[in-house]
């Protein structure tokens, strides 16, 4: 057994798992606010990464400034998307809204290919050192930074929901939209804020992954890989999204280790999370931290 390889893969899984958790919180945020599963979440990562790449390569702005401009753009984009496309669907069957998000995913994919091409593009070099050593293991500098940023984002989510006015409004809306509206909470503003935050936070993950692997349409698949983590943790649980992301990240890399060292099947990295997802949902249908929906007839 190559324990060094195992340690390296588990460390990578921990770091990638935090990114899964961050994107998973965006899934949960939109679902809790509007009861909609956003299947275009992966495209938020892709759009954010392309926009940041455009600022850095077209206008040669410093990375920090380009990143802040990208976050501002994505916040406005999320609000515009909610107001123009999704707000008119309020009151419609949930399946109709979900189908719209799937359609948006296809449209965004096509638009990014038309605007930026189909070939992967590398980000300009941001860091002097591309990797560093941690306990004898090599860590990409971008991933190391993402781990710290992800922890800050998670702490920010916890503070936002517990102590801020808009966070409390969002929690009230998630619990009962009609009751929240009767108390003077603007449901439309809550929905728009949820989509804006989701777009911004997804952009952080998109830029981090693009710094390591480059920007291409394959980046949008990150959203699909996060979905098992969200279901695993519980679709309406922010904590569950974080835990589910860490589980999936570690599980992917552990499965890769077992496959490379013993099984040699060649696809365990991709399918292992879905196997575990099925097993856990057979035992806990609402996920590890999801709220049970009890109906009495």
């Amino acid at each position: 057994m190559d324990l060094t390889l195992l340690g390296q893969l588990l460390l990578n899984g921990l770091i990638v798992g935090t990114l899964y958790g961050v994107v998973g919180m965006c899934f949960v945020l939109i679902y809790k606010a509007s009861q909609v599963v956003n299947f275009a979440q992966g495209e938020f990562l892709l759009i954010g990464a392309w926009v940041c790449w455009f600022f850095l390569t077209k206008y040669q702005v410093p990375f920090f400034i380009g990143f802040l401009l990208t976050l501002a753009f994505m916040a406005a984009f999320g609000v515009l998307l909610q107001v123009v496309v999704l707000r008119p669907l309020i009151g419609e069957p949930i399946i109709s809204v979900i189908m719209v998000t799937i359609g948006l995913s296809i449209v965004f994919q096509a638009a990014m290919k038309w605007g930026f091409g189909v070939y992967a593009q590398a980000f300009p070099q941001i860091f002097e050192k591309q990797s560093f050593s941690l306990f004898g293991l090599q860590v990409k500098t971008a991933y190391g930074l993402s781990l710290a940023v992800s922890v800050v984002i998670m702490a920010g989510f916890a503070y936002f929901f517990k102590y801020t006015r808009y966070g409390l409004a969002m929690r009230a809306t998630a619990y009962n939209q009609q009751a929240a509206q009767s108390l003077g909470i603007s449901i439309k503003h809550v929905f728009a804020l949820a989509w804006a935050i989701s777009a911004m936070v997804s952009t952080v993950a998109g830029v981090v992954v693009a710094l390591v692997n480059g920007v291409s349409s394959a980046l949008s698949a990150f959203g699909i890989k996060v979905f098992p983590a969200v279901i695993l943790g519980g679709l309406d649980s922010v904590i569950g999204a974080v835990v589910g992301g860490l589980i999936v990240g570690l599980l992917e890399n552990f499965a890769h280790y077992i496959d490379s060292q013993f099984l040699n099947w060649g696809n365990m990295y991709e399918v292992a999370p879905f196997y575990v997802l099925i097993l856990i949902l057979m035992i806990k249908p609402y996920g590890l931290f999801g709220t049970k929906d009890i109906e009495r007839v």
Side-chain angles (χ1 to χ4, degrees):
M1 293 180 65
D2 189 342
L3 296 181
T4 302
L5 175 61
L6 177 61
Q8 182 71 63
L9 289 174
L10 292 180
L11 178 61
N12 292 343
L14 176 65
I15 295 172
V16 174
T18 59
L19 289 177
Y20 287 163
V22 166
V23 179
M25 288 191 299
C26 298
F27 269 106
V28 173
L29 181 65
I30 291 179
Y31 180 80
K32 285 176 71 69
S34 58
Q35 301 298 304
V36 172
V37 178
N38 178 23
F39 282 98
Q41 196 70 53
E43 279 62 37
F44 281 177
L45 279 76
L46 178 62
I47 296 172
W50 273 125
V51 170
C52 189
W53 176 88
F54 179 78
F55 282 133
L56 268 58
T57 57
K58 180 69 173 179
Y59 296 106
Q60 304 293 318
V61 299
F63 173 75
F64 183 71
I65 296 176
F67 183 64
L68 291 180
L69 290 173
T70 302
L71 292 181
F73 173 86
M74 290 304 294
F77 177 77
V79 172
L80 182 65
L81 181 66
Q82 198 280 327
V83 171
V84 175
V85 179
L86 298 165
R87 184 171 294 178
L89 295 174
I90 292 178
E92 298 297 325
I94 296 298
I95 186 63
S96 301
V97 186
I98 292 175
M99 292 304 297
V100 168
T101 66
I102 295 175
L104 288 173
S105 170
I106 298 172
V107 170
F108 292 156
Q109 277 272 10
M112 292 300 101
K113 290 179 180 178
W114 175 74
F116 297 100
V118 296
Y119 299 105
Q121 298 290 340
F123 259 69
Q125 185 171 337
I126 307 300
F127 308 104
E128 292 184 3
K129 293 184 178 180
Q130 298 303 306
S131 63
F132 62 93
S133 179
L134 180 65
F135 303 116
L137 304 174
Q138 290 298 310
V139 180
K140 295 284 187 181
T141 305
Y143 279 165
L145 179 62
S146 77
L147 180 61
V149 172
S150 297
V151 172
V152 171
I153 290 175
M154 292 173 185
F157 262 75
Y159 178 83
F160 174 78
F161 279 115
K162 192 169 184 179
Y163 296 108
T164 68
R165 178 182 177 185
Y166 283 105
L168 293 174
M170 198 169 290
R171 288 169 57 191
T173 303
Y175 182 75
N176 191 310
Q177 291 184 11
Q178 291 183 341
Q181 195 166 18
S182 68
L183 294 173
I185 296 174
S186 174
I187 304 300
K188 294 179 180 179
H189 290 169
V190 169
F191 286 0
L193 180 63
W195 282 83
I197 294 175
S198 179
M200 291 174 62
V201 174
S202 295
T203 296
V204 176
V207 170
V208 168
V209 177
L211 284 173
V212 177
N213 301 324
V215 196
S216 70
S217 58
L219 189 60
S220 61
F222 204 85
I224 300 300
K225 295 181 71 174
V226 169
F227 196 63
V230 177
I231 301 299
L232 181 62
L235 193 54
D236 60 348
S237 172
V238 174
I239 296 177
V242 176
V243 174
L246 291 173
I247 290 175
V248 169
L250 291 170
L251 182 62
E252 280 183 341
N253 284 271
F254 183 71
H256 178 61
Y257 175 79
I258 296 297
D259 188 33
S260 63
Q261 296 293 306
F262 305 106
L263 301 178
N264 297 313
W265 291 352
N267 65 344
M268 288 299 295
Y269 180 86
E270 299 290 341
V271 301
F274 293 93
Y275 287 146
V276 173
L277 173 66
I278 293 172
L279 291 175
I280 289 183
L281 290 183
M282 290 174 62
I283 302 171
K284 295 180 70 67
Y286 295 97
L288 296 175
F289 297 93
T291 304
K292 294 183 179 180
D293 186 13
I294 301 175
E295 296 184 4
R296 294 179 174 86
V297 276

